[in-house]
């Protein structure tokens, strides 16, 4: 298992692409959609963490608010 500090959006995108290429056929449509959603959530959370640590709470809040409005 990867440590949190090793994860980045690039690594998460690569992992998602590997999942799409190799494991989507093994799962039902519903479960593969769940996994896709988890990757999206992880990438979003990474960016929110980055915004919090670099720019403070306001930009992170605004990004989270936009994401919640998108669904």
């Amino acid at each position: 298992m990867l440590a949190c500090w090793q994860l980045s959006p690039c690594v998460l995108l690569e992992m998602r692409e590997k999942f799409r290429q190799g494991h989507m056929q093994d799962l039902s449509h519903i479960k593969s959609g769940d996994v896709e959603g988890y990757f999206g959530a992880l990438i979003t959370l990474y960016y929110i963490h980055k915004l919090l640590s670099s720019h403070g709470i306001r930009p992170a809040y605004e990004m989270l608010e936009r994401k919640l409005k998108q669904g």
Side-chain angles (χ1 to χ4, degrees):
M1 177 169 264
L2 294 172
C4 291
W5 56 269
Q6 293 176 320
L7 292 179
S8 69
C10 292
V11 171
L12 290 169
L13 290 171
E14 288 174 15
M15 290 170 65
R16 183 177 68 181
E17 189 58 34
K18 287 180 184 178
F19 167 76
R20 287 177 176 170
Q21 292 173 0
H23 298 291
M24 284 188 75
Q25 310 87 320
D26 301 336
L27 297 174
S28 70
H29 175 68
I30 294 171
K31 289 184 181 180
S32 64
D34 289 348
V35 174
E36 287 282 336
Y38 298 147
F39 276 116
L42 283 170
I43 292 167
T44 299
L45 288 171
Y46 179 89
Y47 280 120
I48 290 171
H49 176 265
K50 194 75 167 164
L51 283 171
L52 282 170
S53 62
S54 300
H55 302 287
I57 197 164
R58 180 54 135 198
Y61 173 80
E62 290 169 353
M63 180 191 171
L64 185 56
E65 188 174 48
R66 281 192 309 271
K67 290 287 184 182
L68 290 173
K69 285 180 183 177
Q70 290 175 355

